């Protein structure tokens, strides 16, 4: 597998499903699992410590609220970690965003937008990382980007 998609709770799946759907479309292999930073600390640490041995190239971690999952994974691996802030009821996901983006120097987490847009961008960013080593994925990514451009141009024509 090239990418690990993890989330803090099963309730994060509706957002993280956007990530997996786009990884499917781009032909990137991945696994999906729930690892709660607060309820499964030993499992989280073991996951982070062994992720490289499992041959992952990048980890996408979705989390809401206190959102410690992406940062704690990053603290336990040298793989790139992409954090997806999950929208919450209490603060609309701002709490998640700030928890993920405000990492101390030396433990980076690439952070994307809150919610669906972030989940999709995380998949694209992970694909860009995988594409550095995989020419087939690189080609599919180029085709995806080209299709986006054509779609945007076509939508412009419908406005006239």
């Amino acid at each position: 597998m090239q990418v690990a998609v993890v989330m803090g709770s099963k309730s994060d799946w509706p957002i993280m499903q956007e990530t997996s759907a786009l990884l499917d479309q781009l032909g990137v292999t991945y696994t999906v699992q729930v690892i709660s930073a607060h309820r499964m600390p030993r499992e989280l640490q073991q996951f982070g410590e062994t992720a490289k041995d499992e041959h992952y190239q990048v980890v996408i971690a979705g989390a809401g609220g206190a959102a410690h999952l992406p940062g704690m994974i990053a603290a336990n691996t040298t793989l790139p970690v992409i954090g997806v802030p999950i929208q919450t009821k209490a603060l609309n996901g701002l709490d998640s965003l700030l928890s993920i983006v405000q990492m101390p120097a030396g433990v980076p987490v690439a952070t994307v937008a809150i919610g669906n847009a972030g989940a999709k961008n995380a998949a694209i960013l992970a694909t860009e990382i995988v594409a550095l080593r995989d020419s087939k994925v690189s080609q599919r990514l180029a085709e995806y980007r080209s299709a986006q451009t054509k779609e945007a141009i076509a939508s412009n024509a419908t406005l006239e």
Side-chain angles (χ1 to χ4, degrees):
M1 294 295 149
Q2 296 163 309
V3 176
V5 177
V6 297
M7 64 205 86
S9 168
K10 185 178 175 182
S11 65
D12 299 335
W13 180 237
I15 299 296
M16 297 308 292
Q17 205 166 7
E18 298 288 340
T19 301
S20 64
L22 194 46
L23 290 172
D24 284 336
Q25 183 180 343
L26 293 166
V28 175
T29 60
Y30 63 94
T31 61
V32 176
Q33 60 186 306
V34 171
I35 304 174
S36 171
H38 301 107
R39 293 179 210 82
M40 302 168 65
R42 285 188 275 299
E43 291 83 355
L44 182 148
Q45 184 172 9
Q46 181 181 8
F47 171 81
E49 290 174 348
T50 62
K52 199 177 248 186
D53 296 334
E54 297 295 325
H55 304 289
Y56 293 118
Q57 294 174 44
V58 61
V59 177
I60 299 172
H68 290 118
L69 180 64
M72 290 306 298
I73 291 173
N76 284 285
T77 187
T78 57
L79 291 174
V81 176
I82 303 167
V84 179
I86 302 296
Q87 192 165 3
T88 58
K89 291 179 182 159
L91 297 172
N92 242 2
L94 186 58
D95 49 345
S96 310
L97 174 66
L98 294 175
S99 293
I100 296 171
V101 78
Q102 285 300 120
M103 291 298 296
V107 188
V109 173
T111 308
V112 294
I114 298 167
N116 288 338
K120 291 175 183 177
N121 282 339
I124 293 169
L125 182 55
T127 301
E128 291 172 343
I129 293 167
V130 170
L132 293 170
R133 295 185 184 175
D134 188 326
S135 61
K136 290 179 183 176
V137 170
S138 181
Q139 180 61 37
R140 287 191 295 268
L141 180 60
E143 291 166 2
Y144 175 81
R145 289 285 180 96
S146 177
Q148 274 188 315
T149 300
K150 288 176 184 170
E151 185 179 320
I153 291 169
S155 71
N156 191 38
T158 62
L159 296 174
E160 298 172 353

